[in-house]
Short mmCIF file of all heavy atoms in Angstrom, two decimals:
data_model
loop_
_atom_site.label_atom_id
_atom_site.label_comp_id
_atom_site.label_asym_id
_atom_site.label_seq_id
_atom_site.Cartn_x
_atom_site.Cartn_y
_atom_site.Cartn_z
N TYR A 238 17.56 -27.60 -98.11
CA TYR A 238 17.46 -28.56 -99.22
C TYR A 238 17.32 -27.84 -100.56
O TYR A 238 16.62 -26.83 -100.68
CB TYR A 238 16.24 -29.47 -99.02
CG TYR A 238 15.89 -30.25 -100.26
CD1 TYR A 238 16.55 -31.43 -100.58
CD2 TYR A 238 14.91 -29.78 -101.15
CE1 TYR A 238 16.24 -32.13 -101.75
CE2 TYR A 238 14.59 -30.48 -102.31
CZ TYR A 238 15.26 -31.65 -102.60
OH TYR A 238 14.96 -32.33 -103.75
N ARG A 239 17.98 -28.39 -101.58
CA ARG A 239 17.81 -27.94 -102.96
C ARG A 239 17.68 -29.17 -103.86
O ARG A 239 18.21 -30.24 -103.55
CB ARG A 239 18.99 -27.07 -103.41
CG ARG A 239 19.10 -25.75 -102.66
CD ARG A 239 17.90 -24.84 -102.89
NE ARG A 239 18.02 -23.56 -102.19
CZ ARG A 239 17.53 -23.32 -100.96
NH1 ARG A 239 16.91 -24.29 -100.31
NH2 ARG A 239 17.66 -22.13 -100.42
N PRO A 240 16.98 -29.05 -104.98
CA PRO A 240 16.66 -30.23 -105.81
C PRO A 240 17.84 -31.10 -106.20
O PRO A 240 17.69 -32.32 -106.32
CB PRO A 240 16.00 -29.59 -107.03
CG PRO A 240 15.34 -28.36 -106.51
CD PRO A 240 16.31 -27.84 -105.48
N LYS A 241 19.01 -30.52 -106.42
CA LYS A 241 20.15 -31.34 -106.84
C LYS A 241 20.49 -32.40 -105.81
O LYS A 241 21.03 -33.48 -106.15
CB LYS A 241 21.37 -30.45 -107.10
CG LYS A 241 22.56 -31.21 -107.69
CD LYS A 241 23.73 -30.30 -107.96
CE LYS A 241 24.89 -31.07 -108.60
NZ LYS A 241 25.36 -32.20 -107.77
N ALA A 242 20.18 -32.14 -104.55
CA ALA A 242 20.53 -33.10 -103.50
C ALA A 242 19.77 -34.41 -103.68
O ALA A 242 20.33 -35.50 -103.46
CB ALA A 242 20.22 -32.50 -102.12
N LEU A 243 18.50 -34.34 -104.08
CA LEU A 243 17.73 -35.57 -104.32
C LEU A 243 18.21 -36.25 -105.59
O LEU A 243 18.31 -37.49 -105.64
CB LEU A 243 16.24 -35.26 -104.41
CG LEU A 243 15.32 -36.48 -104.53
CD1 LEU A 243 15.46 -37.41 -103.33
CD2 LEU A 243 13.86 -36.05 -104.70
N GLU A 244 18.52 -35.47 -106.60
CA GLU A 244 19.06 -36.04 -107.84
C GLU A 244 20.34 -36.82 -107.53
O GLU A 244 20.57 -37.91 -108.09
CB GLU A 244 19.36 -34.92 -108.84
CG GLU A 244 18.12 -34.17 -109.33
CD GLU A 244 18.46 -32.91 -110.09
OE1 GLU A 244 19.66 -32.72 -110.41
OE2 GLU A 244 17.55 -32.10 -110.35
N ASP A 245 21.16 -36.29 -106.64
CA ASP A 245 22.41 -36.96 -106.29
C ASP A 245 22.17 -38.29 -105.58
O ASP A 245 22.90 -39.26 -105.80
CB ASP A 245 23.28 -36.06 -105.41
CG ASP A 245 23.93 -34.92 -106.19
OD1 ASP A 245 23.91 -34.97 -107.44
OD2 ASP A 245 24.45 -33.99 -105.56
N LEU A 246 21.15 -38.35 -104.72
CA LEU A 246 20.86 -39.61 -104.03
C LEU A 246 20.54 -40.71 -105.04
O LEU A 246 20.97 -41.85 -104.88
CB LEU A 246 19.66 -39.46 -103.07
CG LEU A 246 19.78 -38.55 -101.86
CD1 LEU A 246 18.65 -38.86 -100.88
CD2 LEU A 246 21.11 -38.65 -101.18
N VAL A 247 19.77 -40.36 -106.07
CA VAL A 247 19.34 -41.35 -107.05
C VAL A 247 20.43 -41.64 -108.08
O VAL A 247 20.75 -42.80 -108.36
CB VAL A 247 18.05 -40.89 -107.75
CG1 VAL A 247 17.64 -41.85 -108.86
CG2 VAL A 247 16.92 -40.74 -106.73
N ALA A 248 21.02 -40.60 -108.65
CA ALA A 248 21.89 -40.76 -109.81
C ALA A 248 23.36 -40.93 -109.46
O ALA A 248 24.11 -41.51 -110.26
CB ALA A 248 21.73 -39.56 -110.74
N GLN A 249 23.80 -40.45 -108.30
CA GLN A 249 25.21 -40.51 -107.96
C GLN A 249 25.49 -41.45 -106.78
O GLN A 249 26.26 -42.41 -106.92
CB GLN A 249 25.73 -39.10 -107.64
CG GLN A 249 25.55 -38.10 -108.76
CD GLN A 249 26.29 -38.49 -110.03
OE1 GLN A 249 27.38 -39.06 -109.97
NE2 GLN A 249 25.70 -38.19 -111.19
N ARG A 250 24.87 -41.19 -105.66
CA ARG A 250 25.11 -42.01 -104.47
C ARG A 250 24.47 -43.39 -104.57
O ARG A 250 24.90 -44.32 -103.92
CB ARG A 250 24.58 -41.30 -103.22
CG ARG A 250 25.37 -40.07 -102.81
CD ARG A 250 24.60 -39.25 -101.78
NE ARG A 250 24.35 -39.98 -100.55
CZ ARG A 250 25.13 -39.94 -99.47
NH1 ARG A 250 26.26 -39.22 -99.48
NH2 ARG A 250 24.81 -40.61 -98.37
N ARG A 251 23.41 -43.48 -105.37
CA ARG A 251 22.62 -44.72 -105.47
C ARG A 251 22.12 -45.16 -104.09
O ARG A 251 22.06 -46.34 -103.77
CB ARG A 251 23.42 -45.85 -106.11
CG ARG A 251 23.93 -45.55 -107.51
CD ARG A 251 22.81 -45.42 -108.52
NE ARG A 251 23.30 -45.47 -109.89
CZ ARG A 251 22.78 -44.81 -110.91
NH1 ARG A 251 21.72 -44.03 -110.71
NH2 ARG A 251 23.26 -44.93 -112.13
N SER A 252 21.75 -44.18 -103.27
CA SER A 252 21.20 -44.49 -101.95
C SER A 252 19.68 -44.43 -101.96
O SER A 252 19.04 -44.62 -100.91
CB SER A 252 21.76 -43.52 -100.90
OG SER A 252 21.45 -42.17 -101.23
N ALA A 253 19.10 -44.17 -103.12
CA ALA A 253 17.65 -44.15 -103.28
C ALA A 253 17.33 -44.59 -104.70
O ALA A 253 18.16 -44.48 -105.61
CB ALA A 253 17.08 -42.76 -103.01
N PHE A 254 16.12 -45.10 -104.90
CA PHE A 254 15.70 -45.51 -106.24
C PHE A 254 14.27 -45.02 -106.47
O PHE A 254 13.55 -44.70 -105.52
CB PHE A 254 15.78 -47.03 -106.42
CG PHE A 254 14.78 -47.83 -105.61
CD1 PHE A 254 13.62 -48.32 -106.18
CD2 PHE A 254 15.03 -48.12 -104.26
CE1 PHE A 254 12.71 -49.06 -105.44
CE2 PHE A 254 14.12 -48.86 -103.51
CZ PHE A 254 12.96 -49.33 -104.10
N GLU A 255 13.91 -44.95 -107.73
CA GLU A 255 12.57 -44.47 -108.08
C GLU A 255 11.70 -45.65 -108.50
O GLU A 255 12.08 -46.43 -109.37
CB GLU A 255 12.65 -43.44 -109.20
CG GLU A 255 11.30 -42.82 -109.53
CD GLU A 255 11.39 -41.64 -110.49
OE1 GLU A 255 12.50 -41.07 -110.62
OE2 GLU A 255 10.36 -41.30 -111.09
N HIS A 256 10.55 -45.76 -107.87
CA HIS A 256 9.58 -46.77 -108.28
C HIS A 256 8.20 -46.32 -107.82
O HIS A 256 7.95 -45.12 -107.72
CB HIS A 256 9.95 -48.17 -107.75
CG HIS A 256 9.37 -49.25 -108.62
ND1 HIS A 256 8.21 -49.91 -108.33
CD2 HIS A 256 9.81 -49.75 -109.81
CE1 HIS A 256 7.94 -50.78 -109.29
NE2 HIS A 256 8.89 -50.71 -110.20
N TRP A 257 7.32 -47.25 -107.54
CA TRP A 257 5.92 -46.96 -107.31
C TRP A 257 5.53 -47.29 -105.88
O TRP A 257 5.92 -48.33 -105.35
CB TRP A 257 5.06 -47.79 -108.27
CG TRP A 257 3.77 -47.14 -108.67
CD1 TRP A 257 2.53 -47.43 -108.19
CD2 TRP A 257 3.57 -46.12 -109.66
NE1 TRP A 257 1.58 -46.64 -108.81
CE2 TRP A 257 2.20 -45.83 -109.72
CE3 TRP A 257 4.44 -45.41 -110.49
CZ2 TRP A 257 1.66 -44.88 -110.58
CZ3 TRP A 257 3.92 -44.47 -111.34
CH2 TRP A 257 2.55 -44.20 -111.39
N THR A 258 4.79 -46.41 -105.23
CA THR A 258 4.08 -46.74 -103.98
C THR A 258 2.60 -46.63 -104.36
O THR A 258 2.09 -47.46 -105.09
CB THR A 258 4.47 -45.79 -102.84
OG1 THR A 258 4.29 -44.42 -103.27
CG2 THR A 258 5.92 -45.98 -102.44
N HIS A 259 1.94 -45.58 -103.90
CA HIS A 259 0.60 -45.27 -104.42
C HIS A 259 0.73 -44.49 -105.72
O HIS A 259 -0.23 -44.31 -106.46
CB HIS A 259 -0.19 -44.46 -103.40
CG HIS A 259 0.40 -43.09 -103.17
ND1 HIS A 259 1.61 -42.91 -102.54
CD2 HIS A 259 -0.03 -41.85 -103.51
CE1 HIS A 259 1.90 -41.63 -102.50
NE2 HIS A 259 0.92 -40.95 -103.07
N ASP A 260 1.93 -43.97 -105.95
CA ASP A 260 2.25 -43.19 -107.15
C ASP A 260 3.77 -43.26 -107.32
O ASP A 260 4.47 -43.86 -106.51
CB ASP A 260 1.78 -41.74 -106.97
CG ASP A 260 1.39 -41.08 -108.29
OD1 ASP A 260 2.11 -41.32 -109.28
OD2 ASP A 260 0.38 -40.36 -108.34
N ALA A 261 4.28 -42.64 -108.37
CA ALA A 261 5.73 -42.62 -108.57
C ALA A 261 6.40 -41.96 -107.37
O ALA A 261 5.97 -40.89 -106.93
CB ALA A 261 6.08 -41.89 -109.86
N SER A 262 7.46 -42.59 -106.85
CA SER A 262 8.08 -42.13 -105.61
C SER A 262 9.57 -42.40 -105.62
O SER A 262 10.06 -43.29 -106.32
CB SER A 262 7.45 -42.83 -104.40
OG SER A 262 6.05 -42.60 -104.33
N ILE A 263 10.30 -41.64 -104.80
CA ILE A 263 11.70 -41.92 -104.50
C ILE A 263 11.73 -42.68 -103.18
O ILE A 263 11.15 -42.24 -102.19
CB ILE A 263 12.54 -40.64 -104.39
CG1 ILE A 263 12.40 -39.78 -105.65
CG2 ILE A 263 14.00 -40.98 -104.13
CD1 ILE A 263 12.95 -40.38 -106.90
N VAL A 264 12.42 -43.82 -103.17
CA VAL A 264 12.39 -44.76 -102.05
C VAL A 264 13.82 -45.02 -101.58
O VAL A 264 14.74 -45.11 -102.41
CB VAL A 264 11.74 -46.10 -102.51
CG1 VAL A 264 11.61 -47.07 -101.34
CG2 VAL A 264 10.37 -45.84 -103.15
N PRO A 265 14.07 -45.16 -100.29
CA PRO A 265 15.42 -45.49 -99.82
C PRO A 265 15.92 -46.80 -100.43
O PRO A 265 15.19 -47.79 -100.49
CB PRO A 265 15.25 -45.62 -98.30
CG PRO A 265 14.04 -44.79 -97.97
CD PRO A 265 13.13 -44.96 -99.15
N MET A 266 17.16 -46.83 -100.87
CA MET A 266 17.72 -48.01 -101.52
C MET A 266 17.68 -49.27 -100.64
O MET A 266 17.46 -50.37 -101.18
CB MET A 266 19.15 -47.73 -101.97
CG MET A 266 19.75 -48.84 -102.82
SD MET A 266 18.85 -49.11 -104.39
CE MET A 266 19.46 -47.73 -105.37
N PRO A 267 17.86 -49.17 -99.32
CA PRO A 267 17.78 -50.40 -98.52
C PRO A 267 16.43 -51.12 -98.62
O PRO A 267 16.34 -52.30 -98.28
CB PRO A 267 18.04 -49.90 -97.08
CG PRO A 267 18.88 -48.68 -97.27
CD PRO A 267 18.33 -48.02 -98.50
N PHE A 268 15.39 -50.42 -99.09
CA PHE A 268 14.07 -51.05 -99.22
C PHE A 268 13.94 -51.87 -100.50
O PHE A 268 12.95 -52.58 -100.69
CB PHE A 268 12.97 -49.98 -99.23
CG PHE A 268 12.85 -49.16 -97.97
CD1 PHE A 268 13.69 -49.35 -96.88
CD2 PHE A 268 11.89 -48.15 -97.88
CE1 PHE A 268 13.58 -48.57 -95.74
CE2 PHE A 268 11.76 -47.37 -96.75
CZ PHE A 268 12.62 -47.59 -95.67
N TYR A 269 14.92 -51.76 -101.39
CA TYR A 269 14.79 -52.38 -102.71
C TYR A 269 14.43 -53.87 -102.66
O TYR A 269 13.56 -54.32 -103.42
CB TYR A 269 16.08 -52.18 -103.52
CG TYR A 269 15.99 -52.69 -104.94
CD1 TYR A 269 15.44 -51.90 -105.95
CD2 TYR A 269 16.44 -53.97 -105.28
CE1 TYR A 269 15.34 -52.37 -107.25
CE2 TYR A 269 16.34 -54.45 -106.57
CZ TYR A 269 15.79 -53.65 -107.56
OH TYR A 269 15.68 -54.12 -108.84
N PRO A 270 15.06 -54.68 -101.81
CA PRO A 270 14.70 -56.10 -101.80
C PRO A 270 13.21 -56.34 -101.51
O PRO A 270 12.63 -57.31 -102.01
CB PRO A 270 15.58 -56.68 -100.68
CG PRO A 270 16.74 -55.74 -100.59
CD PRO A 270 16.17 -54.39 -100.88
N MET A 271 12.59 -55.47 -100.73
CA MET A 271 11.17 -55.62 -100.42
C MET A 271 10.30 -55.32 -101.64
O MET A 271 9.17 -55.79 -101.74
CB MET A 271 10.78 -54.70 -99.26
CG MET A 271 11.66 -54.85 -98.03
SD MET A 271 11.71 -56.57 -97.41
CE MET A 271 12.88 -56.40 -96.06
N TRP A 272 10.85 -54.53 -102.54
CA TRP A 272 10.07 -54.16 -103.73
C TRP A 272 9.98 -55.31 -104.75
O TRP A 272 9.20 -55.23 -105.68
CB TRP A 272 10.68 -52.90 -104.38
CG TRP A 272 9.81 -51.72 -104.21
CD1 TRP A 272 9.09 -51.05 -105.17
CD2 TRP A 272 9.50 -51.04 -102.98
NE1 TRP A 272 8.37 -50.02 -104.62
CE2 TRP A 272 8.61 -49.98 -103.28
CE3 TRP A 272 9.90 -51.22 -101.65
CZ2 TRP A 272 8.10 -49.12 -102.30
CZ3 TRP A 272 9.40 -50.36 -100.68
CH2 TRP A 272 8.52 -49.33 -101.01
N ARG A 273 10.74 -56.38 -104.54
CA ARG A 273 10.63 -57.51 -105.47
C ARG A 273 9.22 -58.08 -105.48
O ARG A 273 8.73 -58.53 -106.51
CB ARG A 273 11.66 -58.59 -105.12
CG ARG A 273 13.08 -58.16 -105.43
CD ARG A 273 14.06 -59.31 -105.39
NE ARG A 273 15.39 -58.85 -105.78
CZ ARG A 273 15.79 -58.69 -107.02
NH1 ARG A 273 14.97 -58.95 -108.03
NH2 ARG A 273 17.03 -58.28 -107.28
N LEU A 274 8.56 -58.06 -104.33
CA LEU A 274 7.18 -58.53 -104.28
C LEU A 274 6.28 -57.61 -105.10
O LEU A 274 5.38 -58.06 -105.81
CB LEU A 274 6.69 -58.60 -102.83
CG LEU A 274 5.25 -59.09 -102.61
CD1 LEU A 274 5.05 -60.49 -103.17
CD2 LEU A 274 4.91 -59.06 -101.11
N LYS A 275 6.57 -56.31 -105.03
CA LYS A 275 5.78 -55.34 -105.81
C LYS A 275 6.05 -55.52 -107.30
O LYS A 275 5.13 -55.43 -108.12
CB LYS A 275 6.12 -53.92 -105.37
CG LYS A 275 5.15 -52.87 -105.90
CD LYS A 275 5.33 -51.58 -105.17
CE LYS A 275 4.28 -50.56 -105.56
NZ LYS A 275 2.93 -50.96 -105.17
N PHE A 276 7.32 -55.76 -107.67
CA PHE A 276 7.63 -56.00 -109.08
C PHE A 276 6.78 -57.15 -109.62
O PHE A 276 6.17 -57.05 -110.69
CB PHE A 276 9.11 -56.37 -109.26
CG PHE A 276 10.09 -55.32 -108.84
CD1 PHE A 276 11.39 -55.67 -108.49
CD2 PHE A 276 9.75 -53.97 -108.80
CE1 PHE A 276 12.32 -54.72 -108.11
CE2 PHE A 276 10.68 -53.00 -108.41
CZ PHE A 276 11.96 -53.39 -108.07
N ALA A 277 6.78 -58.26 -108.90
CA ALA A 277 6.07 -59.45 -109.36
C ALA A 277 4.57 -59.20 -109.44
O ALA A 277 3.90 -59.60 -110.40
CB ALA A 277 6.37 -60.62 -108.43
N ARG A 278 4.03 -58.54 -108.43
CA ARG A 278 2.59 -58.30 -108.41
C ARG A 278 2.18 -57.27 -109.45
O ARG A 278 1.13 -57.39 -110.07
CB ARG A 278 2.15 -57.89 -107.00
CG ARG A 278 2.22 -59.04 -106.02
CD ARG A 278 1.82 -58.66 -104.62
NE ARG A 278 1.70 -59.87 -103.80
CZ ARG A 278 1.39 -59.86 -102.51
NH1 ARG A 278 1.17 -58.70 -101.87
NH2 ARG A 278 1.29 -60.99 -101.83
N ASP A 279 3.00 -56.25 -109.62
CA ASP A 279 2.69 -55.25 -110.66
C ASP A 279 2.71 -55.89 -112.04
O ASP A 279 1.84 -55.62 -112.88
CB ASP A 279 3.69 -54.09 -110.60
CG ASP A 279 3.36 -53.08 -109.52
OD1 ASP A 279 2.36 -53.27 -108.81
OD2 ASP A 279 4.10 -52.09 -109.40
N GLU A 280 3.70 -56.75 -112.28
CA GLU A 280 3.77 -57.40 -113.59
C GLU A 280 2.55 -58.27 -113.84
O GLU A 280 1.95 -58.22 -114.92
CB GLU A 280 5.04 -58.25 -113.70
CG GLU A 280 5.13 -58.97 -115.03
CD GLU A 280 6.47 -59.65 -115.27
OE1 GLU A 280 7.38 -59.53 -114.43
OE2 GLU A 280 6.60 -60.30 -116.33
#
């Protein structure tokens, strides 16, 4: 593994996104719909 590979998941492949768990995290993109509850609660 090298850092560019994670950058590519987020910025190119869009197979991961960055948001919050217990802290800032990179999360698999298929989990995004579940994060809507977190968006609402965080707001």
Side-chain angles (χ1 to χ4, degrees):
Y238 166 83
R239 294 297 181 267
K241 187 179 182 301
L243 185 60
E244 295 168 11
D245 285 347
L246 295 196
V247 175
Q249 302 299 325
R250 290 167 62 94
R251 301 294 194 213
S252 59
F254 68 100
E255 185 171 341
H256 206 262
W257 211 258
T258 53
H259 66 292
D260 210 320
S262 301
I263 305 294
V264 184
M266 187 63 77
F268 297 0
Y269 185 84
M271 307 304 177
W272 250 250
R273 290 193 176 278
L274 180 59
K275 192 166 187 65
F276 298 156
R278 289 179 171 179
D279 279 0
E280 179 171 357

